[in-house]
Amino acid sequence: MKKYQLTGLVLLFTALLLSGCGSGRGGEAFSHYQNMNQAMAAISSAEWEVDAVYGFVLGSAKMDLSMGGTVQEELVKGIPEKIKLDFDLSLAGSTLDMKAYYQDGWYYLESDGNKTKRNMDVEEMLGKANIQILQFPASSILNSQVKSVSGGQELFFKLKGDALTKMSKQILTSLGSLLAGLSSNESVKFGDAECKMVVGDDNILKSYELSFDLTLSVSEQETVIKCSSQLNLKSLNDVTIVPPGDLDSYVINQ
């Protein structure tokens, strides 16, 4: 699998990890989720810790991609103005360090010894930086549960795979790095997904877990990807993003 495809898949999975899971069918769980959305829209900054494992199965061949790192964001009225990503990707014994920044309409990427930049609007950056908020239709929720935990509520949603598949097409459209070079014969299909979030008494999201299977069809060859991800809040409303001092040296990537 080419590196740009691998990176694009990681961005796709993390976009789902950081997205919202909501529906009218969610009942009490959805009510708590709506309250969380309102509270999170008012935050000024946050730092999240991300850990994920993706198991690739292609015929008899298997390999795991693990990802760990942090996402920082500074927001104004719910819209990120500055974003910093710092991930370590491990695959087949090799580790790739990936750092990215966004500010003043520019996306800066440092990876594998290369430093590139692109002029980019906020909407496109949200797709690449995995911070877009996705709203699922009412029909996407199979079932939901609410459980009281120390300091808040634990919300559980089970989502239909076909609903995620429809949403993935929108995400893939924004991820040109993944689509580049792929033919019209390729497709993405999700199995049913489970997401669990812990929301504090202040309605702030504390942690988020997501698991699902994904089937990627490329030139009539299927790869099954088993995904498990976790997001934990590290800091709230006290994050200041300091980008590196050499952003002017980054090469423009058309």
Side-chain angles (χ1 to χ4, degrees), residues 11 18 69-72 83-87 98-102 107 109 125 128-131:
L11 294 174
L18 293 175
T70 58
V71 176
Q72 295 180 334
I83 302 169
K84 178 181 178 181
L85 310 178
D86 191 346
F87 288 151
M98 184 174 70
K99 293 181 172 61
Y101 307 87
Y102 178 80
Y107 169 71
L109 175 64
M125 177 55 194
K128 286 189 172 294
N130 328 313
I131 308 176

Side-chain angles (χ1 to χ4, degrees), residues 20-244:
C21 297
S23 166
R25 287 187 177 182
E28 184 183 0
F30 184 58
S31 178
H32 284 293
Y33 170 72
Q34 287 178 308
N35 292 336
M36 180 201 71
N37 277 339
Q38 292 178 358
M40 295 300 291
I43 69 174
S44 61
S45 66
E47 180 174 2
W48 305 94
E49 183 177 38
V50 179
D51 288 291
V53 176
Y54 308 117
F56 294 79
V57 181
L58 177 58
S60 60
K62 298 181 180 181
M63 62 180 178
D64 287 340
L65 166 68
S66 61
M67 179 184 71
T70 58
V71 176
Q72 295 180 334
E73 51 181 339
E74 293 184 29
L75 307 97
V76 175
K77 297 182 179 181
I79 303 298
E81 287 203 338
K82 293 183 180 180
I83 302 169
K84 178 181 178 181
L85 310 178
D86 191 346
F87 288 151
D88 286 327
L89 310 180
S90 298
L91 176 67
S94 299
T95 300
L96 176 66
D97 182 39
M98 184 174 70
K99 293 181 172 61
Y101 307 87
Y102 178 80
Q103 64 177 30
D104 300 327
W106 284 88
Y107 169 71
Y108 302 86
L109 175 64
E110 178 182 354
S111 179
D112 200 25
N114 298 311
K115 296 183 178 182
T116 59
K117 63 182 179 181
R118 277 188 58 195
N119 191 236
M120 189 177 294
D121 62 26
V122 174
E123 290 301 319
E124 185 177 359
M125 177 55 194
L126 291 179
K128 286 189 172 294
N130 328 313
I131 308 176
Q132 56 192 18
I133 302 300
L134 306 177
Q135 297 295 328
F136 290 89
S139 58
S140 66
I141 294 182
L142 290 170
N143 58 69
S144 64
Q145 298 176 354
V146 179
K147 181 174 69 174
S148 294
V149 295
S150 178
Q153 303 290 327
E154 179 182 281
L155 314 180
F156 171 83
F157 295 91
K158 186 168 184 179
L159 304 174
K160 290 182 179 181
D162 59 354
L164 292 179
T165 299
K166 292 178 182 178
M167 295 301 296
S168 77
K169 293 178 181 179
Q170 299 178 25
I171 302 169
L172 289 171
T173 299
S174 70
L175 297 177
S177 58
L178 176 61
L179 289 179
L182 301 184
S183 74
S184 60
N185 295 326
E186 292 139 358
S187 64
V188 175
K189 183 178 181 180
F190 286 85
D192 293 344
E194 294 185 352
C195 61
K196 181 174 67 176
M197 61 189 78
V198 175
V199 179
D201 290 332
D202 56 0
N203 293 321
I204 294 297
L205 179 65
K206 307 299 183 183
S207 66
Y208 188 103
E209 297 179 23
L210 177 68
S211 60
F212 58 90
D213 287 355
L214 173 80
T215 300
L216 176 65
S217 299
V218 179
S219 301
E220 299 184 355
Q221 188 173 37
E222 290 189 347
T223 301
V224 178
I225 309 170
K226 298 182 178 296
C227 311
S228 176
S229 308
Q230 184 170 359
L231 175 74
N232 292 289
L233 180 66
K234 294 184 63 179
S235 186
L236 184 72
N237 292 331
D238 61 359
V239 174
T240 300
I241 296 175
V242 180

